[in-house]
Amino acid sequence: MEKVKIAILGFGNVGTGVWKILLENKKEIMKRSNYDIEVAKILVKDINKERDIALPREVLTDNIDDIINDESIKIVVELIGGRGEAKEYMIRAMKAKKHIVTANKLVIANWGKELFRIAKEENALFYYEASVAGGIPIIREINESLTANRIQQITGIINGTTNYVLSKMTIDGSGFNEALKEAQEKGYAEADPTSDIDGYDAVYKLAIMASLAYGTEVDHDCIYREGIRNISDIDIQYAKQFGYTIKLLAIAKEENNKLELRVHPTFIPSSHPMANVNDAFNAILIKGNAVGELMLYGKGAGALPTGSAVVGDIISILRNNVAPTEVKAANAKVDFKEVKKSNDNESEFYIRLDFKDKAGVLGDTAEIFGKNNVSIVSITQDVAHKTHSTLAFITHKSSEKNINNSLKKIVELESVNKVESIIRIESFN
Ligand code: HSE
């Protein structure tokens, strides 16, 4: 069987997974790709570092030129991550006539257009299945299996770390920091977990999915973003009381040729299958005008699940399947779609106020909501302390503008101390 040489850039969590899969499933991979894959070089920072996996010494290099200048290497697998050298190395590799597989959502979301253009010019295949939702084959799903549909909505739990933290807080009553530490130890979190916790990781993934699903460039800076840092155990308790579970959702939908794109903590009905996506699992619910609702569930992070997507891409290149870049180029002819301003978005809301329990406060608050066209579904009052109490509201569908205008007035009330939480609700109607 013909041999093909590949190189891996970076040998962290995912690199280790890729190595293990190539070794353990060698027979199947040979049969399915028609090639005997040899990892000829692995780029690492420190050749002498102790590793859990014993790698042949001659495979390791700390010099990218050893890979770029080696004409026998046909595929470069970029697993360095981040915005540093990763992009430059991929460009150099394509210019040296090598195909690319990457798991780097940051680079795709920021410089995808440039990279796809270079890939086209250089006749390089460019695959990035692992960049969104780890082991879940969402890129192929959107590009190929669902390509007959008009995608009406994508709703995803696409960050394993935050889902792990929220699940632990909800199910085990764990504290935020303790749950985050566990997620990091398990290898789910990014090198800088801020990207997970504050929603950036999910924003990059949503930008990639939305650009493919709606055939347009998506500037990730236009995506509304809110992380999970401010979610307290009190909100988790209220969510339960109202029949909801809190999840960090990434939502994309199209209305009147405009895109609504947002990432934020969300109350979802506890009876919905998405509410039962726990630990580091990811799930993506797609609503297509032909297929109806479709839900993909799986591991969105971790060495082997992400490695599964990476090795799948390597095999696809060897089979010379249509590259996602080419599909995107076809889509790119569709008109540019504007992203709606967050203020114009509509949803139901959960709002929690800290207030002084005085006669009239409920009436004053309700009046302000009413004047701003915000209709209330339910109110719960919890007299927690002698001096201050909590009021929790669930609203009907309202525009964010009306909610914000109401809250501006409500905080001016003498009896209201603070707006503690504003969390959107997704009812999946
Ligand atoms: N940090 C990411 C997550 C890893 O937690 O989902 C996969 O992109």
Side-chain angles (χ1 to χ4, degrees), residues 105 131 158-162 188-190 196 201 205 282 300-301:
K105 67 226 133 191
S131 65
I158 50 175
N159 182 269
T161 303
T162 45
Y188 304 139
E190 297 298 300
D196 299 302
D201 178 84
K205 293 169 177 166
N282 282 197

Side-chain angles (χ1 to χ4, degrees), residues 1-6 22 25-38 75 311-321:
M1 185 165 287
E2 199 179 330
K3 254 197 184 328
V4 64
K5 289 190 184 177
I6 70 166
L22 287 172
N25 297 348
K26 189 170 177 70
K27 227 168 63 200
E28 290 80 3
I29 292 170
M30 275 169 87
K31 218 154 76 191
R32 290 169 196 164
S33 68
N34 248 331
Y35 282 94
D36 178 6
I37 301 172
E38 179 193 331
I75 301 174
V311 178
D313 277 354
I314 299 172
I315 298 172
S316 276
I317 288 180
L318 296 174
R319 289 169 166 174
N320 208 357
N321 285 350

Side-chain angles (χ1 to χ4, degrees), residues 43-54:
L43 181 73
V44 290
K45 274 209 183 94
D46 179 3
I47 294 179
N48 300 314
K49 183 179 158 183
E50 288 272 331
R51 296 187 161 81
D52 295 341
I53 289 179

Side-chain angles (χ1 to χ4, degrees), residues 407-422:
L407 292 176
K408 254 187 239 155
K409 290 276 171 218
I410 286 172
V411 285
E412 284 170 9
L413 292 174
E414 197 270 320
S415 45
V416 171
N417 297 325
K418 202 174 165 204
V419 178
E420 295 278 9
S421 316
I422 311 168

Side-chain angles (χ1 to χ4, degrees), residues 96-114:
K97 302 290 167 222
K98 301 177 197 310
H99 301 302
I100 304 289
V101 174
T102 179
N104 196 326
K105 67 226 133 191
L106 184 66
V107 166
I108 305 290
N110 279 287
W111 298 285
K113 196 173 165 192
E114 181 187 349

